Structure formats: structure tokens, C-alpha cells
Amino acid sequence: MNLSFLSRAKHIFFILIFISAAAGFRLFWLQIISHAEIKDIGEKEFKKTVKETSPRGRIYDCCGEILADSIIVWDLAVMKKEMQSPYSFCSVFSQILGKSENECLQKIKKGKNYIKIEKSLEMSVYEKLSQAFKEKSVKGILFEPHQKRIYPQETAKEVIGLANEEKGLTAAELVYDEILKGALKRKEIIKDRRGETVFTEKELETQKPSEIFLSLDSKIQFFSEEVLKNYVEKSAADLGIGIVQEVKTGKIAAMASWPQNLINLNGLEWVYEPGSTFKTIVLSAALEENVTDENDYYYCENGAWKFSPKITIRDHEPEKNLKLNEVFEKSSNIGFAKIGLKLGTEKLYLYSKSFGFGSAYGFGFPGESKGILKDLKNYKQIDTAVSSFGHSIAATPIQVINAYTAIANGGILLKPYLIEKIKSEEEEKTFSRTEIRKVISAETAKRVKNLLLGVVDRGTGRNASIIGYSVAGKTGTSNKIDPKTGKYVEKKNVTSFCGFFPASDPQYSILVVLDNPKKFHYGGETAAPAFKEIAKRIINLKNIKPDRDFNYKQALQTSYGKNISD
Amino acid sequence: MKRSAYFHKIILPVLALLFCAVTLNIFRVKLGYAIERTKKEAAKLSIENDYLAKKIAHARSPKNLEVYAASAGLKYPEPYSIVIIDAPKETYEKKRGWLSALFSKTNKS
């Protein structure tokens, strides 16, 4: 081989080695030796601290159906100064969203630099728009992500409450805001020249949000809302409130009102005179204390009893001598005034307190009312008489239904609850049946239940009866009080019906209250049929078997009005 | 030391080390991009999942079901229109074969 060729090859090889070594050394110098210095320069230009909030915790019903959730939506904004062609932006925008191109152009013309064009775009629209803008190389577009609270079941909004991006505002969203709010993530990131993230250096995250399971059953809640809406419209009432409670556990299966009130939870906050529905409490106390029994008769003064020179207690219908069950079934105020006076002020007060009136249950919701139960020392004889038929006392709907639930489950007052479970990353907290106290004996509860059955079978509550099922309940009609003057308002009532079914083995208790129904005026005409509707739907939903014999053919004929062949 | 030995024992290893350090750094940056891209993809899938959950929850809502039922001409039945039959659970519960029982045992262990 030629020596000079070898020598040239050696030289070229060493030059290449030298260039590679120089390049390698330079890279080493930049990346290893000068790393700290270059990193500092880079961090100043490309390092950013980014804050992100993860979505707010979900709210479920008792069966795991999502009642409230958070999704990411995008606001579309433009930077006018960076935008080269508003026309191409507007044509894409109007094509995809089906909105007016001219309006879009007008908006951009009127705006200064930063202009918000559209809010809360869902993901499918956002993807279509961003793809279209990319294809047409439209510049100056900003998509700003933020959270939006949604209610997919469209029910129980009053109990769930309202929330904005940062915090809960009312009801459960407010009470449980601390555990529901999204985790705050703080990241230190390094971005490159194109704006893409290269590294995430530090990531700090606060505690992840918990999930809440309400005790509500979304289907029963839906039925209650639908039926209430119907009956409020039918009776031209100002307000309707409905509560459904599970007898054996005390949990609230539904709490609805119509018109919907997203600020106040009417079931816990609205206060009214319970009227004749309170007679059940007086009756329970009187039977428990052996002050009266089923064989006693009461003279009902022909419908008008001059209690004192100024005060006359009246009945809806004039009656003379009535047996105890008839006094209850015909809802005689005079009869009950006499029972209440026989029982005595102190015992009446103590049993009222025992059944939960005059105190809040501690749901934790801010507006929960205790109702109004006069102090014992302020009671006069007339107060005892009128309290016995549910006047001169104010109660919340939850107090009334919970008292009936106590009678349904053998005299034990349970703590009603709206939250069934709170689930976080670390633990799961469950709430269940809690007994507060035994108010009356099981035997007395049974006797009261039988009398309540009579009200529905023969008395004022006939419109609540369901073929094949034993329903125990009581109607109530009370005068409305003007909150300004504290006096009764003429021709303005509050009607109600509270009961439970099936009486042989109670599963659910239901309360329906209608405020100032203008078309019908008694609980039996307005609230009792609403109770029946809700009860029928629960029977179908929960497969509750009939507990009374009945003629199927006759029942179908009554309901469907057709000749049913064998 | 001979020149070739000097070259093989000192310069080449040093060059190799330099080359490794630089290459590792380049890989670090590439991996950083890949990780961030994967995180972005995961975030996007999480958002899609939320949207799907919303769609499912809405489809299952009683209000929606009532609309579908009404359009199909269905009505709420009376309680006595429904006959409840007490059938033993074994007659309608699906029996699991030995293979599926074995897999479930394996998964648990």
C-alpha cells in the first residue's frame, strides 16, 4: 500500500477524531459543566408555576346514580390584535355553532383586545372548533378551560344545592364544601420555545375531594317532584312540600317542594301549624298515659263549644256523642280539645317535646328551624285546648313526618338523615339508623296505628286509600298565619296529609303539605290524593306486596273503567 | 506508555463517558416530552370519561326514561296490575361454570 495514502488516511482520521472530541467536549461543557448557569437562564425564561383545580367531588343518590358532577368546559375568546382575519374566524364559528356570522363580527369590531365570544363549550364542540381553526390557521384564539357543575338526573336540586367553580353556595354543596372542593395542584413546569411542557419539576397537591352519597332515592325523589307539581297546579296552591322517609331506618328517601327553591330547603326550614295531623301525637300521649281508651265517648257540642266568653272552638261538621275512633276519623277539634285538657298541659308539652317538636334534628343545613313550641310556663288552658288540635304550635315538615315514623316503627323516635355515606381516598364513613328515644310503647303505637287506619278507611283520609294496601294516616287543615301581624288570615289554609304504608309492616311514611290551595280547602281533598299517587309509585318501584285481600277484576275496572273479562 | 495504549486506555474511555453523558441528557429531554404527552393524553381521557359518565347518568335519569316510555305509549301501572311472583333465587340466578370459578379464585390470590 502507498505510504502517503496511509499517512493521509491517518491525518483525516485524527482530524475527524479531533472535531468529534471538540464537539463532544463542547456539549459536555454546556450540558454538564455549565449546566447550572444555563439552567438558571432557561428557568427564568421557560419555568412557570401552574395552578390547577381538579373537578369537585361527585354527589350520588343512595343507589349510586350521579346527582351532581363537574365537567371541564371551555370559554372561547379572541385576542383582536393577534387575529389576522376575523372573517375566517367568524365563518368557522358560525358554521360549527350555527350562530350568526354578522353578530360575531360585530362583537369583535366593538371589543378592544380580549373579547369573550362564547361560554361553556362542551368537549365535542371544543374539539371541532380547535381542529377547524388549526386547519384554517386562524390565530389569536384562546380556549379557557374551567369547571361546570352539572345535574344529570335533573332532580333533588334543592337538597344538592348550588355551587360555582370555587365553592358551594347552598344546601349540601355548602355544608360539605370543604370535602367536596377540588384538589388544588401546584406544578412547576419547564416549557420549550413552542410552549410545550418538557418537564414537571415539582407537583404539590392538596387532599383529593370526597364523594357524597345522599340518602335520597332519585326515582322516589322524581315521583315526589312530579306529583307535587301536579297537585300544586291542580289546587292552585302557593307551595307544595313532600317528604318520603324509610320507616325502618329513618333515612329520607325524598324531599321535594314545588315551586323549587334552590336557596332554602323547605322540608327543614318552612314552618307551619300542623293542624289535625298533630292530633295523632295527642292521641298517642293520651293512650300511653291511660287518660283515654277506645271505648270512651266525647260530646262534641254540636260543632261549637264556647270555651270561654271570647273563645269558641268549632268543628267542621256538627256532631254530638262520638266514640274515640270517630272523634279521630271525623277530626273533631272539640273532641281533641277535651282529650288534651284531660291529658294536662305538662304531659302534652312533654310528649310534644318527646316526639321531636320544638327542637332541630341537627342536619347541619344552615336554615334548619326548631319550629315553635311554647315554653311550659307560658301555657294557659286555652293553649292546651287549641294545641290539642294542632294550633298554637308551629312545626317543620321533617318534625311532623318523623313523629309519624316513630309511631310506624313501634314508638321509637329515629334520627332522620340525608347523608348516607361520605367516601374519600382513605376512608368511607357510613351513616345508618340511630335511635333517639322510645316515646311510646309498642302496644300504644299499635293502637294508634289502628285508629289511623280508620281515618283512611272510613274518615277524612279516604282519598289516600289504595286498593289492596293498608294505609294509616291523618289529614290536616289549619289556618295560615300572617307573619307580619301574627293573626290568622281568613280563607287561607295549609292542608296536609301524613301517613305510612303498608300498616301491617310499614315501609315508607309520606308527608304532603300544600300552602294556600285555592281550588280545594281540606287536607282530604288536596294532600291525601297526592299522598296516594306517591305511595302507588313507590309500591310499584319497590315491589311492595299487597297486605289486604281485594277483587282484582273490580280494582282494574275501577281504575281503567273498562269491562275486564275473566 | 506507547501512544496507542495511551489512546486506548485513557482518551477513548473519556470520550466514551462524555458521549454517554450527553446522550443520556438528550434522552432525558426526550423522555420528558414523552411523559408530558402521556400525561396530557391521560388528562384528555379523564375528561372524556367524565363526559361519558354524564351521558350515562342523563340516559338513566327518571325524567329521560319517562319521556321514552311516554313516546312508546307506556303508562304508570296501578299497584294491583303488577303480580309479584315469589320464585326461588336458584331459578333465575345465573350459574357460574367451573372455569369462571377457577379464574375468580386465581384473580383473588
Side-chain angles (χ1 to χ4, degrees):
Chain A
M1 205 173 244
N2 202 334
L3 265 172
S4 68
F5 170 76
L6 272 170
S7 148
R8 259 183 267 137
K10 238 192 221 175
H11 281 114
I12 290 167
F13 177 71
F14 279 118
I15 290 167
L16 286 171
I17 291 285
F18 178 76
I19 292 168
S20 307
F25 186 75
R26 180 63 182 157
L27 280 170
F28 178 78
W29 184 267
L30 287 171
Q31 290 192 18
I32 311 295
I33 309 290
S34 308
H35 170 75
E37 194 188 320
I38 292 172
K39 190 183 172 191
D40 276 338
I41 299 167
E43 275 178 10
K44 279 178 196 162
E45 267 198 61
F46 300 111
K47 191 173 184 179
K48 284 183 177 142
T49 306
V50 170
K51 277 187 213 170
E52 271 174 14
T53 313
S54 68
R56 207 171 159 79
R58 279 181 179 161
I59 299 178
Y60 296 89
D61 79 344
C62 65
C63 308
E65 299 288 350
I66 302 173
L67 294 176
D69 196 4
S70 290
I71 52 167
I72 305 290
V73 292
W74 289 262
D75 288 347
L76 171 61
V78 297
M79 300 297 282
K80 201 170 164 181
K81 287 180 183 170
E82 289 174 31
M83 189 174 260
Q84 288 158 348
S85 168
Y87 295 98
S88 39
F89 168 82
C90 289
S91 83
V92 169
F93 177 78
S94 67
Q95 207 174 8
I96 291 174
L97 284 170
K99 297 205 172 178
S100 159
E101 200 175 322
N102 282 331
E103 268 179 41
C104 172
L105 281 165
Q106 286 300 317
K107 221 176 192 174
I108 294 174
K109 275 184 186 163
K110 279 182 192 171
K112 286 183 180 175
N113 186 28
Y114 172 85
I115 307 156
K116 201 159 249 185
I117 305 291
E118 191 71 26
K119 287 183 183 177
S120 300
L121 295 167
E122 292 204 349
M123 196 168 94
S124 53
V125 178
Y126 155 72
E127 281 179 343
K128 272 188 203 161
L129 280 170
S130 58
Q131 182 67 27
F133 288 139
K134 222 177 190 175
E135 279 168 12
K136 297 216 170 176
S137 308
V138 180
K139 287 185 183 172
I141 313 291
L142 279 172
F143 281 107
E144 297 161 337
H146 65 94
Q147 284 181 52
K148 184 181 168 185
R149 201 70 167 153
I150 54 160
Y151 308 93
Q153 299 277 319
E154 295 176 72
T155 192
K157 284 184 187 174
E158 290 169 326
V159 179
I160 299 166
L162 298 168
N164 64 17
E165 209 175 321
E166 285 153 33
K167 59 179 181 176
L169 302 169
T170 61
E173 294 271 23
L174 171 63
V175 176
Y176 295 96
D177 184 51
E178 275 307 307
I179 58 171
L180 280 173
K181 65 180 166 197
L184 185 66
K185 223 190 259 184
R186 198 176 269 115
K187 290 195 289 191
E188 281 179 10
I189 57 169
I190 308 260
K191 285 196 167 185
D192 65 10
R193 197 175 53 87
R194 291 170 298 177
E196 276 189 53
T197 310
V198 184
F199 294 119
T200 301
E201 288 211 329
K202 269 187 225 171
E203 203 168 308
L204 292 160
E205 194 173 357
T206 54
Q207 186 153 14
K208 283 205 169 112
S210 301
E211 293 177 330
I212 287 178
F213 289 74
L214 297 177
S215 64
L216 304 180
D217 184 324
S218 59
K219 293 173 189 71
I220 298 178
Q221 178 73 27
F222 172 71
F223 295 152
S224 308
E225 286 172 3
E226 288 289 296
V227 169
L228 262 185
K229 184 183 169 190
N230 240 348
Y231 279 86
V232 163
E233 284 168 6
K234 246 187 201 172
S235 59
D238 292 344
L239 172 71
I241 299 171
I243 303 181
V244 179
Q245 187 178 24
E246 247 182 51
V247 164
K248 296 195 197 306
T249 58
K251 76 176 186 183
I252 306 297
M255 186 179 282
S257 67
W258 191 268
Q260 281 190 339
N261 186 339
L262 297 180
I263 299 180
N264 304 107
L265 194 51
N266 283 323
L268 305 183
E269 298 178 34
W270 200 72
V271 168
Y272 72 110
E273 281 197 345
S276 299
T277 52
F278 193 73
K279 286 173 181 166
T280 311
I281 312 308
V282 178
L283 185 67
S284 308
L287 289 173
E288 182 74 3
E289 292 293 317
N290 287 320
V291 150
T292 189
D293 71 32
E294 286 83 339
N295 297 317
D296 284 347
Y297 280 86
Y298 291 88
Y299 181 61
C300 295
E301 315 284 343
N302 261 323
W305 182 29
K306 202 155 185 171
F307 185 83
S308 71
K310 287 186 182 175
I311 299 164
T312 304
I313 297 174
R314 293 182 194 278
D315 278 345
H316 305 293
E317 299 289 335
E319 302 282 354
K320 287 188 178 165
N321 274 314
L322 293 174
K323 217 175 174 185
L324 180 69
N325 66 300
E326 289 171 322
V327 171
F328 198 42
E329 284 162 23
K330 296 184 183 197
S331 202
S332 164
N333 292 339
I334 296 167
F336 265 87
K338 292 186 177 182
I339 294 171
L341 289 165
K342 232 176 157 184
L343 178 66
T345 308
E346 197 179 325
K347 289 210 169 120
L348 175 64
Y349 175 83
L350 286 171
Y351 274 92
S352 304
K353 275 292 251 190
S354 235
F355 268 103
F357 293 94
S359 43
Y361 281 109
F363 280 92
F365 289 76
E368 190 190 350
S369 174
K370 290 196 288 190
I372 304 167
L373 183 66
K374 259 186 178 168
D375 228 346
L376 183 59
K377 60 184 180 211
N378 295 331
Y379 262 79
K380 294 177 192 160
Q381 214 186 23
I382 183 63
D383 295 314
T384 307
V386 299
S387 298
S388 305
F389 50 90
H391 289 254
S392 189
I393 170 177
T396 57
I398 193 69
Q399 287 171 337
V400 173
I401 192 174
N402 207 47
Y404 275 72
T405 302
I407 292 163
N409 65 25
I412 299 171
L413 189 75
L414 300 177
K415 188 173 194 308
Y417 57 97
L418 272 169
I419 307 293
E420 197 166 59
K421 193 166 49 172
I422 298 175
K423 201 173 169 187
S424 67
E425 252 187 331
E426 295 95 35
E427 59 171 3
E428 203 172 284
K429 203 173 172 186
T430 316
F431 302 90
S432 57
R433 174 190 164 108
T434 308
E435 293 180 9
I436 299 176
R437 65 180 80 91
K438 193 173 181 68
V439 191
I440 53 176
S441 66
E443 181 56 40
T444 306
K446 199 175 171 184
R447 290 162 74 189
V448 174
K449 212 195 302 184
N450 286 334
L451 290 162
L452 285 167
L453 272 167
V455 171
V456 177
D457 290 341
R458 297 176 291 274
T460 53
R462 258 165 294 193
N463 286 333
S465 64
I466 302 171
I467 299 172
Y469 294 84
S470 55
V471 175
K474 183 75 186 74
T475 53
T477 308
S478 60
N479 291 106
K480 230 182 121 85
I481 295 178
D482 185 341
K484 291 176 193 167
T485 60
K487 290 186 177 167
Y488 287 118
V489 181
E490 267 193 50
K491 291 183 185 172
K492 279 195 178 180
N493 288 341
V494 175
T495 61
S496 56
F497 185 91
C498 193
F500 47 87
F501 67 95
S504 53
D505 179 23
Q507 302 294 312
Y508 291 92
S509 49
I510 304 174
L511 169 70
V512 176
V513 182
L514 293 168
D515 180 23
N516 191 24
K518 294 160 196 77
K519 287 186 180 170
F520 306 99
H521 301 287
Y522 295 104
E525 297 171 320
T526 52
F531 168 98
K532 179 179 175 172
E533 277 308 308
I534 299 173
K536 273 169 26 176
R537 294 187 193 185
I538 294 174
I539 284 168
N540 288 340
L541 179 71
K542 298 292 176 184
N543 286 337
I544 299 172
K545 289 184 197 164
D547 64 341
R548 274 182 171 175
D549 292 328
F550 64 98
N551 189 321
Y552 269 107
K553 190 177 164 184
Q554 212 171 30
L556 289 169
Q557 226 149 9
T558 315
S559 303
Y560 298 110
K562 290 179 190 167
N563 283 325
I564 311 287
S565 68
D566 287 328
Chain B
M1 203 189 264
K2 278 186 185 175
R3 266 167 86 182
S4 58
Y6 182 74
F7 179 74
H8 284 116
K9 283 184 183 171
I10 298 168
I11 296 181
L12 266 182
V14 168
L15 280 174
L17 272 167
L18 284 176
F19 181 74
C20 282
V22 164
T23 313
L24 281 169
N25 231 1
I26 293 167
F27 273 127
R28 187 174 81 101
V29 173
K30 274 190 172 173
L31 273 169
Y33 275 118
I35 290 167
E36 291 305 318
R37 240 178 277 131
T38 313
K39 277 187 185 173
K40 220 175 176 179
E41 193 62 36
K44 191 185 169 201
L45 286 168
S46 171
I47 295 171
E48 273 178 26
N49 192 38
D50 286 342
Y51 271 85
L52 281 168
K54 171 203 165 197
K55 209 174 174 180
I56 293 167
H58 181 71
R60 290 166 67 92
S61 75
K63 203 170 189 176
N64 213 32
L65 292 171
E66 196 186 48
V67 168
Y68 282 133
S71 66
L74 300 171
K75 286 181 186 175
Y76 283 109
E78 293 294 324
Y80 35 79
S81 309
I82 299 171
V83 178
I84 300 160
I85 301 167
D86 271 327
K89 235 183 181 178
E90 305 87 64
T91 58
Y92 60 84
E93 235 184 14
K94 231 179 175 180
K95 279 186 187 164
R96 293 170 70 205
W98 63 271
L99 202 61
S100 108
L102 176 70
F103 273 115
S104 67
K105 275 186 197 163
T106 321
N107 282 339
K108 275 177 193 169
S109 64

